[in-house]
Amino acid sequence: MRYAKPLEDLIEEFRKFPSIGPKSAQRMAFTLLKKSPDQVAKFTKIIQDAKSQISYCHSCFNLSSDDLCNICKETSREQNQICVVETVKDLMALERTHEYRGLYHVLGGVISPLDGISADDLNIHALISRVREITQLFSAGKSERNAAIGHQEISLEIILAIGLSTEGEATMLYIKRLLEQLGPVLNIRVTRLAHGLPVGADLDYADEMTLTKALEARVLA
Amino acid sequence: MRYAKPLEDLIEEFRKFPSIGPKSAQRMAFTLLKKSPDQVAKFTKIIQDAKSQISYCHSCFNLSSDDLCNICKETSREQNQICVVETVKDLMALERTHEYRGLYHVLGGVISPLDGISADDLNIHALISRVREITQLFSAGKSERNAAIGHQEISLEIILAIGLSTEGEATMLYIKRLLEQLGPVLNIRVTRLAHGLPVGADLDYADEMTLTKALEARVLA
């Protein structure tokens, strides 16, 4: 005995989402059936709108409903800082700190040969082109970006904000090499996030790797 | 800083489902955006189909794509047993046991004055009408149901398979009273599920209520 076919199909569709088990999928399907036809029509319209209107920002690959995302459009942001992140979720996590006021570049993942993800599957080359373009604009000395930064000492900082997994480390190293190959046309600083104990964490709950990193990066008290 | 409007709307829609938190909603929205336009079109079609095709069985209020659900259509099932459940999920749970071969009646909830749910909001009166109809068919002695049951001693069993919450108890009592008022036209047995220790459960993990019920209903070893 199973549910009627259209209901089984609906549950099956919800099951395809990550972290949605059979019980959750069933609950979601029932919730959906309880909605009014208008509400269901609104739900499907929102899905279709999101799919048709949302695409990647042409500059930083953030999700956006325009060619340029809201962050890239914001001229008040530091134009000489690019924070390289793995996913749009990581970008949003950094935005929630309200600390960072520069630009971003979303890679769309990390290099992972085991999963068949090479550098070509990510937005790494787009990052290099973007950096090269900025350097050229700088050298031409006639860009708006240039004006925004001012004509004093020109420097560009690339912050690699990628997780410390093996793949993450490899990806950061790869990007760093590519940036170094660009040559010393521009003063590019490549930095990475500090690693150490999370704020409020108990020492004995931290893993060895984190503790090692925290020890290595110790500062004067 | 927030996501682009269509994406925010999508996340918000997923948030409306029960037990879907902000993180899950975000994950689901991203998963959806990663699907191909065809897959998204298929997803919205399945939602619309389920909503337009699935309704309640006219007899037992199970979810069904026809006037009568698959269970009510199955003539091989015991026609003189009606198991009264709170939700379609409970019906499915009982079906999974493969033990029960009678019919069902889905109430759609329990009487709960605090939540503003009265007997009129549930399918209780439909149950009484259904029982009355069966008794009339029996007395007329010319129904197909009658033929299915056979002309020997006619009896109808109503199994109240509702949870032991205060509201559940009250609902069972209410239904029992209504059935008694139908009079002794037909030999109606009103039963309820046995309560006791779950199979495989440790005694010290059982709550007092369950242990009390298990003690009261103790059987010869």
Side-chain angles (χ1 to χ4, degrees):
Chain A
M1 173 58 203
R2 307 175 73 210
Y3 292 112
K5 183 77 171 61
L7 179 53
E8 279 288 337
D9 289 346
L10 184 60
I11 295 173
E12 187 52 38
E13 278 295 307
F14 280 124
R15 279 278 282 134
K16 289 180 188 164
F17 286 94
S19 76
I20 301 294
K23 290 261 176 188
S24 300
Q26 195 178 291
R27 204 181 298 123
M28 291 185 79
F30 281 128
T31 308
L32 197 64
L33 287 182
K34 272 194 204 131
K35 285 178 196 263
S36 72
D38 279 359
Q39 284 173 315
V40 172
K42 187 185 155 220
F43 180 52
T44 55
K45 186 171 183 312
I46 282 172
I47 292 173
Q48 282 156 343
D49 284 355
K51 183 62 195 173
S52 62
Q53 291 170 21
I54 296 281
S55 59
Y56 293 111
C57 168
H58 288 197
S59 176
C60 75
F61 297 91
N62 183 9
L63 289 171
S64 169
S65 48
D66 281 321
D67 282 357
L68 276 187
C69 74
N70 293 338
I71 294 177
C72 288
K73 273 191 227 162
E74 229 179 286
T75 48
S76 67
R77 296 184 79 110
E78 303 289 342
Q79 303 289 313
N80 57 348
Q81 278 189 321
I82 297 178
C83 182
V84 180
V85 290
E86 207 178 315
T87 65
V88 175
K89 280 179 227 172
D90 296 342
L91 182 159
M92 292 305 290
L94 282 163
E95 278 299 285
R96 277 195 294 273
T97 66
H98 298 293
E99 280 298 319
Y100 180 67
R101 297 294 302 158
L103 303 174
Y104 289 95
H105 194 90
V106 182
L107 291 182
V110 284
I111 300 171
S112 172
L114 284 178
D115 301 317
I117 301 171
S118 75
D120 295 336
D121 300 316
L122 307 172
N123 304 320
I124 291 179
H125 297 301
L127 170 67
I128 303 304
S129 311
R130 195 176 161 193
V131 171
R132 187 182 287 126
E133 196 187 316
I134 295 174
T135 63
Q136 281 164 357
L137 286 174
F138 278 142
S139 21
K142 55 185 173 185
S143 76
E144 280 176 46
R145 283 174 193 262
N146 203 348
I149 298 165
H151 286 270
Q152 76 281 33
E153 196 181 285
I154 291 159
S155 73
L156 182 64
E157 181 177 3
I158 308 289
I159 305 168
L160 301 176
I162 301 173
L164 268 197
S165 63
T166 318
E167 291 85 4
E169 291 272 15
T171 308
M172 287 197 276
L173 197 64
Y174 183 81
I175 294 174
K176 189 163 179 281
R177 290 273 160 78
L178 286 180
L179 287 172
E180 282 166 358
Q181 283 170 17
L182 277 183
V185 184
L186 191 76
N187 182 17
I188 302 179
R189 275 177 69 206
V190 183
T191 57
R192 49 199 285 171
L193 293 186
H195 288 278
L197 283 182
V199 176
D202 268 338
L203 215 76
D204 56 343
Y205 281 107
D207 62 294
E208 293 77 21
M209 204 58 186
T210 302
L211 268 182
T212 308
K213 295 276 173 190
L215 258 178
E216 282 171 6
R218 67 189 179 278
V219 290
L220 276 174
Chain B
M1 173 59 203
R2 308 176 72 210
Y3 292 113
K5 183 77 172 60
L7 179 53
E8 279 288 337
D9 289 345
L10 184 60
I11 294 173
E12 187 52 37
E13 278 296 307
F14 280 124
R15 277 280 280 134
K16 289 181 188 164
F17 286 94
S19 76
I20 300 295
K23 289 262 176 189
S24 300
Q26 193 178 294
R27 205 181 296 122
M28 292 184 78
F30 281 126
T31 309
L32 197 65
L33 287 181
K34 271 192 203 135
K35 286 179 195 264
S36 72
D38 279 358
Q39 283 173 315
V40 173
K42 187 184 156 223
F43 180 51
T44 56
K45 187 171 183 314
I46 282 172
I47 292 173
Q48 282 154 345
D49 283 356
K51 182 62 193 169
S52 62
Q53 292 170 21
I54 296 282
S55 59
Y56 293 110
C57 168
H58 288 197
S59 177
C60 76
F61 297 91
N62 183 9
L63 289 172
S64 169
S65 47
D66 281 323
D67 282 356
L68 276 186
C69 74
N70 293 338
I71 294 176
C72 287
K73 273 191 228 160
E74 229 180 285
T75 49
S76 67
R77 296 184 79 109
E78 303 288 345
Q79 302 290 312
N80 57 347
Q81 277 189 323
I82 297 178
C83 182
V84 180
V85 290
E86 205 179 316
T87 64
V88 175
K89 280 179 225 170
D90 296 342
L91 182 158
M92 292 306 290
L94 282 163
E95 279 298 287
R96 277 195 294 272
T97 66
H98 298 292
E99 280 299 318
Y100 180 68
R101 297 293 303 155
L103 303 175
Y104 289 94
H105 194 90
V106 182
L107 292 182
V110 284
I111 300 171
S112 173
L114 283 179
D115 301 317
I117 302 171
S118 76
D120 296 335
D121 300 317
L122 307 172
N123 304 319
I124 292 179
H125 297 301
L127 170 67
I128 304 303
S129 312
R130 192 176 163 196
V131 170
R132 187 181 288 128
E133 197 187 315
I134 295 173
T135 64
Q136 281 164 359
L137 287 173
F138 277 144
S139 21
K142 56 184 174 186
S143 76
E144 281 177 48
R145 283 174 193 260
N146 203 348
I149 298 165
H151 287 270
Q152 77 281 30
E153 195 183 284
I154 291 159
S155 73
L156 183 63
E157 182 179 3
I158 309 288
I159 306 168
L160 301 175
I162 301 174
L164 267 197
S165 63
T166 319
E167 291 85 3
E169 291 273 17
T171 308
M172 287 197 277
L173 197 64
Y174 183 80
I175 294 174
K176 190 162 176 282
R177 292 270 160 80
L178 286 179
L179 288 171
E180 281 165 1
Q181 283 171 18
L182 277 184
V185 185
L186 191 77
N187 183 18
I188 303 179
R189 275 177 70 206
V190 183
T191 57
R192 49 199 284 171
L193 294 187
H195 288 276
L197 284 182
V199 177
D202 268 337
L203 216 74
D204 56 344
Y205 282 107
D207 62 293
E208 293 77 21
M209 205 58 188
T210 303
L211 267 181
T212 308
K213 295 275 172 193
L215 258 178
E216 281 171 6
R218 65 189 180 278
V219 290
L220 277 174

